[in-house]
Amino acid sequence: MSDLLVNIAFPSSALRQLFTYRINPENKLPVLSGQRVVAPLRNTPTIGFVAETGIAAPENIKLKTIIEIIDPEPLIPEDLFRFLIKLSNYYLAPLGKTLSAAIPSEYQIQKHRQIFIIDPRTDSIPKPYLQLFAKISSADSIPLSSLKRQFDKETLVRGIEILKKLNRVNEAPRFSAPQHRPLTQKRILLADNFVATRPDVQNLKKHANRQWEILEFLQTNPAISQQDFNKFSLSAIKTLVKKQLITVNETEISDDVFWKDILLKEKTVLLTDEQNLVTEEIAQHIGLDRFAPYLIQGVTGSGKTEVYLKLIRKTLAMNKSALVLVPEITLTTHLASRFRGEFKDTIAIWHSHLSGTQRNILWKKIRDGLYPIVIGARSAVLLPIQHLGLIIIDEEQDGSFKQRDQEPRYHARDAALMRAVECRAVVVMGSATPSLESLYNAAIGKFQKLELKKRYSEAPSATIEIIDMKAEWKTTGDFENPISRLLNEKIAEKLDRNEQILLLQNRRGYSNVILCPDCGWTPKCRNCDISLTYHKNAATLLCHYCNLVQQPPTVCPNCQSSKFLYPGFGTQRVETCLQEAFPNHKIVRLDVDSTLKRGFSQRVMREFEAGHIDIILGTQMIAKGLDFPNVTLVGVLNADIGLFMPDFRARERVFHLLYQVAGRAGRGKIQGEVFIQSFNPQDITIRFAMQQNIAKFTALELNERNPINYPPFSRLAAILFSGLNEIQVKEAAETCTHYLKQHNKKLEILGPAPAPISRIKNRYRYLSIIKSRKDADSNGTQLRRALKSFLASSVHQSQSRQVRISIDIDPMDLL
Ligand code: ADP
Ligand code: ZN
Ligand code: ZN
């Protein structure tokens, strides 16, 4: 009767193993992998995924029976399921966690505690709980959550406890999927017959400012969405509706709200010879049901997007679907506009600003094959797209492709490669600055590398110059100014000519620290081993790791001095300086803080394109993907940020950042200029970035990494131990490291040592790093075997539960 046994994966980090259950023999339908079920786990009904069917009965073990089968058919399609199993194995993430990461959280069944009456008598119930009992008696059963709304916590907890003891009520879990109402949203649009030049409309400009504001906004934006209504005068809206100049309509919120705010960019494109060669080479492999990985290294502005579009056309023609992974969709509006212009509503966009409901709707539509093209950030690689023929990963070197804080800790590029192997698809990784891993893989023949060496535009590449900030400060004595005289002059010059400017300062906030000039004291986070950042707008100190917010001190707690210095510049401080220097120009800041608001970055992109913004100042989020022909100047205010981080990829990241941001200048007809300010103008990374010399930088970096066994020559695993008690953490780390060293003497193991950030949110952190040379362990099998063996070992089982161990395969940073 083995076909009545199944293995279940539960979505919990603590449960790595699968559990075997019996299926109720009365169940007539087949049970398949990828279905969700409710099964008793340590006597509690728990939701899990069917992972394996047709299991042979283990001996001498009494098996429990599945309580309920939730999905009539598998929620996760078969090929996606097979890929997720591989993903879970590669990243050593529990299968249940991996499967549950692939379904939208809104889709996930919730467990409720349901209270029901077993005996309606009211005698001997203490008075304070009679009302609670009456409420429960009023229905057959009632969810605990609805009681929470009516009774205070203490009455409820104590009451239920007493009622249970008296055998009057009992409780049982219930499972239900969250219900999704189709939501509607109001939008204001210009009337169809609106004419801006009509005299009565022009009149409003002079005499009815509030009405004109609305009309003006609508002439550059497609609509005013409901959440923005309050930015305008309600009575002005009403008057304009009466005058039939605008209309208010109600639309169902669908999955494509993003597109509504995006300009469609249609253009007829004739590929250049070079673009054609690359396209042809790849296109011949599409639709052949064979895995084929390509790396396109194309200088910024060489037209990678156009190549992608052609390849997708071919994919559709072969009746296959395509997936495009991009680092940050809300800033790649140029890319999104081009894709939308080309493919209209056959393309779905999967991005972080979707609401839960939208995600849910979209996920189902994608699974049902309604969209042959999907573009999205990291997690789009887990979408249930059917018949995948092509996966494109744009800016494959980008760090945001790595999921860091949650299992599975996958890299979307590597996950895409695994998925493409599984569904026999073509993979195209594109970048101006490929990661060293990908360059290495191309060198050893794992990927085929193709190059686009020419920029499309007629203008010659931008000129790049380094400005020595040490010398600048020495000469001017003005340490309060982040902008050198030369850069300042250049900004003024471009503004005069109505050209646009991008400025990069890769640090958010105002000043990175507050410093007491008398004793050197600076405020640190009490939970984390890190300085607090001063945010001027809110006049607060913020911890960028745990979000602790604190009022800045008025006197130094150490020496009572009342004067403070604000050394170091964050984007907020630079913004203030810029506004003082160029008061008549529109400057917008783009960083994590300013883009929290939904739709903000899209609006900025649109206004920048329309020429309403002169300068964008931002963190690394502005370095990639922006394609604005009127940008003729790019300034990097401090190229040294990040250069000296304790991480072997620090230089690579700085190089990529500088190279990419320089590529934003001069994409139109006018040649661009780039100025890089640095306190280390002789630094080799900065110099190679200035020369845009990828080959030299790569050679230098590879030479440094090879002898010390860092990627791309090895595979890494970072094991992070964390807990509230430092001694326990250290002990756990030592035990584990000792085990691994004994298990496989060939692995190189560093640590354990306190992590560079040795405490976050009060948890002490120790780090061990395992390196396994690829020439001896090409697939990382030995590395994984050692870790798996440890996880299954009695040494690990008997370790303190107070210490959390998280494993990161191919970590992107070691902090
Ligand atoms: P990359 O992504 O390689 O930096 P893009 O794809 O953004 O470059 O191309 C840069 C600009 O040149 C874009 O505005 C793009 O539309 C334009 N472009 C590239 N190739 C062509 C072509 N063959 N015909 C017309 N425009 C092109
Ligand atoms: Zn903190
Ligand atoms: Zn002091």
Side-chain angles (χ1 to χ4, degrees), residues 516 518-521 556 558-561:
C516 170
D518 296 333
C519 74
W521 176 87
C556 171
N558 196 29
C559 75
Q560 265 64 46
S561 155

Side-chain angles (χ1 to χ4, degrees), residues 525 527-528 530 543 545-548 761:
C525 176
N527 308 322
C528 313
I530 201 104
C543 171
Y545 284 89
C546 74
N547 285 325
L548 172 90
K761 296 186 195 175

Side-chain angles (χ1 to χ4, degrees), residues 792-812:
S793 70
S794 54
V795 176
H796 174 54
Q797 302 303 331
S798 62
Q799 270 184 324
S800 162
R801 299 272 160 249
Q802 310 299 325
V803 179
R804 207 182 290 154
I805 298 183
S806 58
I807 295 174
D808 190 350
I809 304 285
D810 305 335
M812 281 300 277

Side-chain angles (χ1 to χ4, degrees), residues 267 269-270 275 300-306 334 456 627 667:
K267 81 195 221 186
V269 167
L270 204 62
Q275 290 169 344
T300 45
S302 58
K304 289 184 286 295
T305 317
E306 303 303 332
H334 149 65
Y456 179 76
D627 181 37
R667 290 168 78 89

